[in-house]
């Protein structure tokens, strides 16, 4: 049940990030940014199992780096810049939560 909720949160978050990115044209308001951050926290807490940590961290790190650098390059294309910024708002908290969970798992062993 919890795993299913995390999967739905992930799918909803990605769809919402793309829609908000298209609508906002590069400037997300604070409320939507917080909503994406909260969804990202839920995804990080509920959606990633121990065996999925390494692939998620690799994909999450690449996505955060590319979105961050891409948003700087895509300033002249507001639609793409908005999508990249919304994806950052979703994936940065998810990646941080998974990284902290991973460090605690390593310390526990």
């Amino acid at each position: 049940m919890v795993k299913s909720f995390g999967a739905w949160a992930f799918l909803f978050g990605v769809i919402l990030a793309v829609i908000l990115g298209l609508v906002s044209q590069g400037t997300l308001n604070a409320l939507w940014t917080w909503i994406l951050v909260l969804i990202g926290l839920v995804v990080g807490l509920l959606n990633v199992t121990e065996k999925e940590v390494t692939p998620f961290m690799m994909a999450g790190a690449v996505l955060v780096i590319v979105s961050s650098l891409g948003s700087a390059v895509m300033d002249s294309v507001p639609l793409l810049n908005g999508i990249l910024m919304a994806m950052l708002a979703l994936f940065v908290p998810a990646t941080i939560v998974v990284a902290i969970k991973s460090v605690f798992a390593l310390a526990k062993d």
Side-chain angles (χ1 to χ4, degrees), residues 17-18 20-21 24-28 32-33 36-37 63 66-72 74-75 78-93:
V18 170
L20 289 175
S24 72
Q25 296 185 358
T27 54
L28 276 176
W32 288 114
T33 301
L36 288 171
V37 167
L63 186 63
V66 169
S67 293
S68 179
L69 295 174
S71 67
M74 295 293 175
D75 259 350
L79 291 177
L80 292 177
N81 189 30
I83 293 171
L84 293 174
M85 295 307 289
M87 291 296 238
L88 276 172
L90 178 67
F91 279 99
V92 166

Side-chain angles (χ1 to χ4, degrees), residues 5-53:
F5 180 73
W8 280 107
F10 175 75
L11 180 62
F12 177 72
V14 170
I15 291 170
L16 183 64
V18 170
I19 291 170
L20 289 175
L22 290 172
V23 172
S24 72
Q25 296 185 358
T27 54
L28 276 176
N29 70 26
L31 174 65
W32 288 114
T33 301
W34 275 107
I35 289 171
L36 288 171
V37 167
L38 291 174
I39 294 171
L41 291 172
V42 168
V43 167
L45 287 170
L46 301 180
N47 203 39
V48 182
T49 64
E50 279 188 43
K51 70 178 188 174
E52 297 170 334
V53 167

